[in-house]
Structures are given as C-alpha cells and as structure tokens.
Amino acid sequence: KGSELHADAEVKKQLDAMEAFESLKKGLTSGSPTVRKKTADKLDDFIIQHAGTEAAEQAAAIKEQIAGS
C-alpha cells in the first residue's frame, strides 16, 4: 500500500517539493548574509516550479515575511 502512495503523481509532487523546500530553508537560515540573499532570490523560482504544493505556499509566506522586514 505504501508503494502505491509513492507512485501517485500528486503525492510524489508534494514530497519532491517538500524535500526541495527543506534545502531552501537551510539556505535562508545560513549564517552567511550572502547565502541568505541568494536563497531568498530563489524563492520566486521555487514558488513557480512547485506551484500548487504546500511547500510553495510556505515559500510564498516566507517571501512575504522577508519583504515586510
């Protein structure tokens, strides 16, 4: 049953997006201002590439927080 779930295209899309988002979040919390800036610049591309996923929604929320600060 678990392998059927992983085979589902929507589940795979969500899982792939979350995995990529975890990597993106690491860059956003880096001790290096340069790395944080470069990662923040990637948020738009991430949101477009992973549109319709929970990870893209979270990325959009982070982008709004950054823009507001």
Side-chain angles (χ1 to χ4, degrees):
K1 184 97 183 169
S3 61
E4 288 175 28
L5 245 148
H6 279 291
D8 183 273
E10 182 60 30
V11 172
K12 181 166 178 14
K13 178 180 167 184
Q14 293 284 343
L15 290 172
D16 289 346
M18 281 309 252
E19 188 175 306
F21 186 57
E22 289 302 318
S23 177
L24 200 61
K25 284 196 303 188
K26 287 179 185 173
L28 290 170
T29 58
S30 169
S32 165
T34 305
V35 172
R36 287 194 308 268
K37 168 89 172 88
K38 285 183 178 181
T39 304
D41 291 344
K42 294 178 184 177
L43 283 173
D44 285 328
D45 290 339
F46 179 86
I47 292 165
I48 292 167
Q49 186 178 3
H50 298 284
T53 65
E54 189 176 321
E57 291 173 18
Q58 291 179 24
I62 288 173
K63 183 181 170 203
E64 286 180 28
Q65 287 178 335
I66 291 170
S69 58

